[in-house]
Amino acid sequence: MPWQGSVDVRRGKGGAQGDPGVLGDVSDQQAASVAGEQFNRISRDQLIEVGLNASAIDWRVGVGRLVLVDHCVYAMPPVLENDPWGRWMGATLTH
């Protein structure tokens, strides 16, 4: 039995158990890398570019692995309350 975080390329699934529409943990790592370069913010379009589909994004929001901070802009927890750079980047990504 594979570890829950392993990637099963044959079925196009991976990540945490019950995690829909993801090509594996690589997508989460790529998303974290992009967000890390953007003051912990990432747009929905960027999440799709790294391999997540709409249901995978929604699942991550539902379980707390992503936080919706603005229209189609997400952050990876923890999200700081007083984060002017994060708010600025979020506003930039909405346009």
Side-chain angles (χ1 to χ4, degrees), residues 25-36:
D25 293 331
V26 172
S27 296
D28 284 334
Q29 293 168 0
Q30 290 173 323
S33 178
V34 171

Side-chain angles (χ1 to χ4, degrees), residues 42-56:
I42 188 165
S43 72
R44 188 171 188 90
D45 288 342
Q46 290 173 319
L47 288 166
I48 291 168
E49 285 177 21
V50 299
L52 299 177
N53 64 26
S55 64

Side-chain angles (χ1 to χ4, degrees), residues 3-17 19-32 47-48 50-53 56-57 59-60 65 76:
W3 173 66
Q4 286 183 347
S6 67
V7 176
D8 186 344
V9 177
R10 295 168 298 164
R11 292 183 304 206
K13 295 182 180 180
Q17 188 171 15
D19 187 353
V22 62
L23 298 175
D25 293 331
V26 172
S27 296
D28 284 334
Q29 293 168 0
Q30 290 173 323
L47 288 166
I48 291 168
V50 299
L52 299 177
N53 64 26
I57 295 168
W59 181 84
R60 281 165 176 71
R65 288 174 63 183
M76 296 191 170

